[in-house]
Amino acid sequence: MIPDQVPKEDVFHGSDDLKKEAHISSFEKYKELYTKSVVNPDDFWGDIAKDFFWKTKHKGQFLQYNFDVTRGKIFIKCMEGASTNICYNLLDRNVHERNLGDKVAFYWEGNEPGDELKVTYRELLHRVCQFANVLKSQGVKKGDRVSIYMPMVVELVVAMLACARIGAVHSIVFAGFSAESLCERIMDSQCSLLITADGFYRGDKLISLKLLADEALQKCREKGFPVEKCIVLKHLSKETEDTPLGSQSPPAKRSCPDLQQEKQTGRIKKTHPVPQVPWNPEVDLCWHALLRGASNDCDPVWCESEDPLFILYTSGSTGKPKGVLHTISGYMLYTAATFKFVFDYQPDDIYWCTADIGWITGHSYITYGPLAYGATSVLFEGLPTYPDVSRMWEIVDKYHVTKFYTAPTAIRLLMKYGSEPVQKYKRDSLKILGTVGEPINPEAWHWYYSVVGEKRCPIVDTFWQTENGGHMLTPLPAATPMKPGSATFPFFGVVPAILNESGEELEGPSEGYLVFKQAWPGMMRTVYGNYSRFETTYFKKFPGYYVTGDGCRRDKDGYYWITGRIDDMLNVSGHLLSTAEVESALVEHEAIAEAAVVGRPHPVKGESLYCFVTLRDGATYNQTLEAELKKQVREKIGAIATPDYIQNAPGLPKTRSGKIMRRVLRKIACNERDLGDTSTLADSSVVEQLFQNRCFTTV
Ligand code: WTA
């Protein structure tokens, strides 16, 4: 399946210097290890598992699974019978067994240049233990779900690892989501506690997170699901400022030196106003006040391999987000192994992944993967364009970043400003560049490669999904000849196939549904609270395969090229959105009878949202309505789902059975007249009308 020969022309190679130190230094070595990993996964993953601590050993086969619904229940199990603690492996093991206590785990770089913090592995361990004790004192136990709604601060990592330490399950909600979305997720995962912050800045814009959290908790209350406790980090306001503390904790000596220092200096420059934080003493608890009484000693809770680690919501085609559940051992091995091989991790690396921890990329490649091997990372709170469009490269030089991982949408955004803002900085520390989240167009690839990496750094274009836990198709930087725009070949243990509509595997150059044939350790185990949705979404269409929902082409050289989603999902700036979710937000407006949303290509965001709305009788279409609809979607889902175009559509193209023909709507949105077969269309006059009234400007 992996070709014997890779092409010699029109491909890009990692440098010889890189090959010298690389874990996998040639395509032959990749192929050799790949073959071992799929023929004998137990040996391959068993070797990775030796890098970690197991309280008790696993019994029987390393990886067990069933992908075939016709043969029974779908399941995946990794290292059954083993017990461990992932927080112990990430922190205690690195501090106590590998002597990395003084090594920096994170350089935190705030939104405002000059706001910075440094946290070593030892300090991180102390903070996590303290906070784990806080969680325990608030009654959080193994298996309980804890919702986290925080900006990109070290405390977010502390909160997630503290949960992991005591066996609680974190459910992080991206801080760009609305109160409504937070409420929906808290209720779906039945969280008993929420952790949030006063607020944060994205560039110049203040996000008053606590207000949103309060609104979400109010909604939960109204829906009969009261959350009793909310821990609030004072991120913008200094912790020394007076806070109504609710139930007071005794002032005790603080044991974490780093926090002491932080307290004196204050970590946020007061160049911006600080938000007013309403305080409800019945529910709200101050993060720092709780820590004051907490010891930094906390035994890890030993968990079974298949105990849940976290829930992370991802869009689903029905509109209701799916709570993707990952379990401990398999996820740990998979994020660790992909981190090590795909970024060719070396101990002196300074690694920077620009994703937000609220998405899977941040979970796997800011927290779990890098910490598993004791890496030093940059944790960045801000934006690539603030205070100016050189910010990324300024940070690269400041910390001497060696491995840099970002999204195509960020590259396309920066590309618009030309090479000068990049070339103001040296970037000579960079060795490997990466992308994730959506297909990278060759033009952006070449710019990233030539301007940012000065043709010195290979680009790992990593294809994967929230459901996968870690990289699935990706080059290995010193081994795989790269083709711009292709995610190239499978990672170890991953067996892709391309199927046609009837579920037959296609050989050689072909295009169709991308599926995976074999389980890998980092795979999701279920949709939280909805096993049948898990089975239906990923396994029903083609029994025996995990269906990604992405289209894929394999070229004559065996390279894989992702062609985009083939379900009703959109990818806006690297974030998956379900059209159904946006549609249901639109039709909740009293003036709207029906809505259909499609993607329209966008030069920076990848896709933009083009919405067709049919009004109820008596309603009038005007700018006020447009503004209300935009607001409605932002409030229901969040700013990432804001419609770019809204078109008044008195009728929608439907089949005779009443199904909206989105394919036709996509053509209308792009003004492409070649509609293909429209014989199933019930009323073709609707289409011409829609073409004539197309929207040319964004709303
Ligand atoms: C898309 C993000 C092309 C794809 C880690 C997938 C990509 C969805 C790539 C998952 C890539 C991600 N090339 N497409 N390198 N990486 N995708 O769950 O459509 O937020 O199904 O996980 O992003 O998005 P998710």
Side-chain angles (χ1 to χ4, degrees):
M1 181 210 323
I2 307 295
D4 287 336
Q5 292 291 320
V6 270
K8 300 224 165 16
E9 282 168 16
D10 299 327
V11 289
F12 296 80
H13 296 272
S15 67
D16 289 341
D17 274 357
L18 199 68
K19 285 182 197 291
K20 265 185 235 150
E21 66 172 10
H23 298 294
I24 309 291
S25 56
S26 68
F27 197 71
E28 284 62 44
K29 289 206 172 123
Y30 157 66
K31 239 174 25 190
E32 206 177 289
L33 201 54
Y34 176 79
T35 307
K36 172 177 167 180
S37 73
V38 296
V39 174
N40 204 338
D42 285 23
D43 280 3
F44 179 83
W45 294 111
D47 282 347
I48 304 283
K50 287 182 194 146
D51 287 344
F52 299 97
F53 175 81
W54 306 95
K55 185 74 177 165
T56 55
K57 300 266 175 271
H58 77 281
K59 299 179 194 83
Q61 241 179 308
F62 202 89
L63 200 57
Q64 302 169 53
Y65 68 98
N66 173 40
F67 270 15
D68 190 345
V69 277
T70 63
R71 287 179 22 204
K73 226 176 140 165
I74 301 297
F75 71 90
I76 305 101
K77 286 179 186 165
C78 181
M79 301 189 75
E80 219 190 359
S83 60
T84 189
N85 182 285
I86 193 165
C87 175
Y88 179 90
N89 272 295
L90 268 47
L91 300 179
D92 308 57
R93 193 181 111 269
N94 282 324
V95 172
H96 300 307
E97 292 169 28
R98 303 182 66 216
N99 209 17
L100 298 179
D102 295 327
K103 189 173 178 186
V104 173
F106 290 108
Y107 288 110
W108 178 77
E109 172 81 13
N111 176 65
E112 210 55 50
D115 288 342
E116 57 188 57
L117 266 182
K118 192 165 77 176
V119 185
T120 65
Y121 272 83
R122 182 173 299 105
E123 287 159 355
L124 190 58
L125 172 61
H126 286 178
R127 287 185 182 210
V128 168
C129 286
Q130 278 191 312
F131 196 66
N133 282 325
V134 166
L135 290 178
K136 284 202 286 193
S137 72
Q138 295 306 318
V140 179
K141 302 179 302 301
K142 181 169 186 275
D144 289 352
R145 276 84 51 220
V146 172
S147 190
I148 304 179
Y149 186 55
M150 290 178 91
M152 285 285 283
V153 290
V154 172
E155 286 83 353
L156 170 52
V157 178
V158 170
M160 64 203 292
L161 293 182
C163 288
R165 192 165 190 88
I166 60 172
V169 180
H170 57 75
S171 168
I172 302 182
V173 179
F174 171 55
F177 275 122
S178 64
E180 177 93 27
S181 296
L182 175 61
C183 160
E184 186 179 12
R185 286 157 175 77
I186 290 176
M187 288 183 54
D188 188 78
S189 50
Q190 306 257 301
C191 291
S192 55
L193 183 135
L194 172 66
I195 307 171
T196 189
D198 47 0
F200 64 102
Y201 277 91
R202 273 179 72 72
D204 272 328
K205 193 167 164 231
L206 171 65
I207 315 286
S208 295
L209 210 54
K210 173 69 164 55
L211 292 182
L212 293 167
D214 283 351
E215 202 185 317
L217 293 187
Q218 181 55 30
K219 285 179 194 290
C220 289
R221 233 168 266 133
E222 285 161 13
K223 292 179 183 172
F225 188 82
V227 175
E228 317 261 304
K229 287 173 182 142
C230 176
I231 300 181
V232 185
L233 171 76
K234 299 195 90 189
H235 170 50
L236 292 182
S237 34
K238 272 193 203 169
E239 56 150 322
T240 46
E241 282 167 8
D242 283 337
T243 310
L245 288 178
S247 59
Q248 302 284 325
S249 357
K253 216 173 102 229
R254 297 268 296 281
S255 40
C256 180
D258 191 46
L259 277 175
Q260 287 290 4
Q261 201 186 349
E262 190 184 317
K263 184 175 160 185
Q264 284 153 19
T265 55
R267 60 182 179 181
I268 297 294
K269 285 192 200 160
K270 288 290 188 85
T271 48
H272 290 299
V274 165
Q276 284 295 312
V277 181
W279 205 262
N280 174 359
E282 307 270 295
V283 178
D284 297 333
L285 300 156
C286 169
W287 172 294
H288 282 109
L290 290 171
L291 278 188
R292 256 170 243 152
S295 143
N296 59 20
D297 215 358
C298 174
D299 286 340
V301 170
W302 301 110
C303 299
E304 298 293 314
S305 277
E306 286 300 330
D307 281 343
L309 174 62
F310 67 83
I311 299 166
L312 182 59
Y313 285 84
T314 186
S315 297
S317 48
T318 62
K320 186 173 149 44
K322 301 180 290 248
V324 169
L325 183 97
H326 283 283
T327 54
I328 297 168
S329 298
Y331 180 80
M332 177 168 81
L333 295 184
Y334 202 68
T335 50
T338 45
F339 175 72
K340 171 177 168 179
F341 290 114
V342 175
F343 298 111
D344 192 45
Y345 172 64
Q346 303 293 338
D348 55 354
D349 272 334
I350 307 291
Y351 163 84
W352 181 17
C353 166
T354 69
D356 193 290
I357 293 180
W359 304 104
I360 191 68
T361 305
H363 279 59
S364 299
Y365 299 111
I366 295 179
T367 302
Y368 289 104
L371 293 178
Y373 278 118
T376 296
S377 295
V378 174
L379 178 61
F380 178 45
E381 185 192 26
L383 291 176
T385 49
Y386 181 84
D388 60 47
V389 293
S390 286
R391 185 73 189 276
M392 302 276 228
W393 324 120
E394 181 196 336
I395 297 174
V396 165
D397 277 6
K398 176 173 175 186
Y399 297 104
H400 306 287
V401 171
T402 54
K403 315 274 160 89
F404 178 73
Y405 191 32
T406 196
T409 183
I411 299 164
R412 289 194 296 263
L413 174 69
L414 296 177
M415 218 170 110
K416 287 203 306 192
Y417 300 95
S419 49
E420 192 262 338
V422 186
Q423 286 159 350
K424 261 172 56 187
Y425 292 91
K426 292 211 299 281
R427 291 157 289 112
D428 54 355
S429 53
L430 287 173
K431 291 184 179 171
I432 292 171
L433 303 173
T435 67
V436 57
E438 54 180 317
I440 180 164
N441 48 313
E443 193 194 352
W445 193 99
H446 283 292
W447 188 81
Y448 196 29
Y449 184 71
S450 312
V451 177
V452 176
E454 298 183 327
K455 304 189 174 169
R456 191 181 66 241
C457 310
I459 296 177
V460 287
D461 173 356
T462 60
F463 166 85
W464 58 294
Q465 310 174 292
T466 304
E467 293 86 339
N468 308 152
H471 306 142
M472 297 297 283
L473 302 177
T474 174
L476 296 184
T480 315
M482 296 161 285
K483 290 192 185 190
S486 165
T488 72
F489 299 108
F491 185 71
F492 301 123
V494 172
V495 187
I498 297 182
L499 305 186
N500 64 14
E501 189 60 46
S502 356
E504 289 152 357
E505 275 190 36
L506 304 174
E507 302 295 329
S510 44
E511 186 165 342
Y513 292 87
L514 176 68
V515 298
F516 295 112
K517 291 169 76 164
Q518 248 173 244
W520 61 100
M523 184 177 177
M524 73 183 286
R525 302 305 199 246
T526 188
V527 171
Y528 184 78
N530 198 343
Y531 171 81
S532 73
R533 189 169 180 201
F534 170 62
E535 209 175 67
T536 314
T537 311
Y538 306 103
F539 296 96
K540 277 262 164 78
K541 190 171 173 70
F542 300 120
Y545 301 94
Y546 165 85
V547 180
T548 60
D550 282 292
C552 185
R553 179 168 71 80
R554 189 168 42 219
D555 71 13
K556 64 178 182 3
D557 300 316
Y559 281 65
Y560 290 86
W561 301 73
I562 303 297
T563 55
R565 301 291 308 178
I566 34 190
D567 49 15
D568 292 332
M569 222 85 95
L570 298 177
N571 195 323
V572 178
S573 301
H575 303 316
L576 272 195
L577 286 174
S578 107
T579 52
E581 203 176 351
V582 183
E583 286 159 6
S584 79
L586 289 168
V587 295
E588 274 185 41
H589 192 286
E590 57 190 12
I592 304 301
E594 194 167 31
V597 177
V598 295
R600 185 193 147 140
H602 185 279
V604 173
K605 300 200 287 188
E607 281 189 288
S608 57
L609 288 165
Y610 195 112
C611 311
F612 295 88
V613 292
T614 308
L615 302 195
R616 282 186 192 286
D617 278 352
T620 341
Y621 194 87
N622 53 27
Q623 282 188 341
T624 318
L625 176 61
E626 255 176 25
E628 281 173 18
L629 291 174
K630 273 178 77 171
K631 186 162 167 270
Q632 169 113 351
V633 177
R634 291 171 77 101
E635 280 176 6
K636 287 270 155 202
I637 306 172
I640 45 166
T642 311
D644 297 279
Y645 302 89
I646 303 179
Q647 179 172 350
N648 180 10
L652 290 168
K654 291 186 182 169
T655 60
R656 286 185 186 84
S657 59
K659 203 167 168 342
I660 296 175
M661 292 180 75
R662 286 163 197 287
R663 184 173 60 77
V664 173
L665 289 176
R666 272 193 285 271
K667 294 277 186 181
I668 295 169
C670 302
N671 206 14
E672 285 170 14
R673 291 266 171 176
D674 169 22
L675 295 182
D677 177 16
T678 51
S679 55
T680 53
L681 201 61
D683 174 8
S684 54
S685 69
V686 168
V687 176
E688 190 45 45
Q689 220 178 45
L690 291 177
F691 265 117
Q692 281 182 8
N693 298 312
R694 279 186 70 248
C695 235
F696 294 100
T697 47
T698 51
V699 288

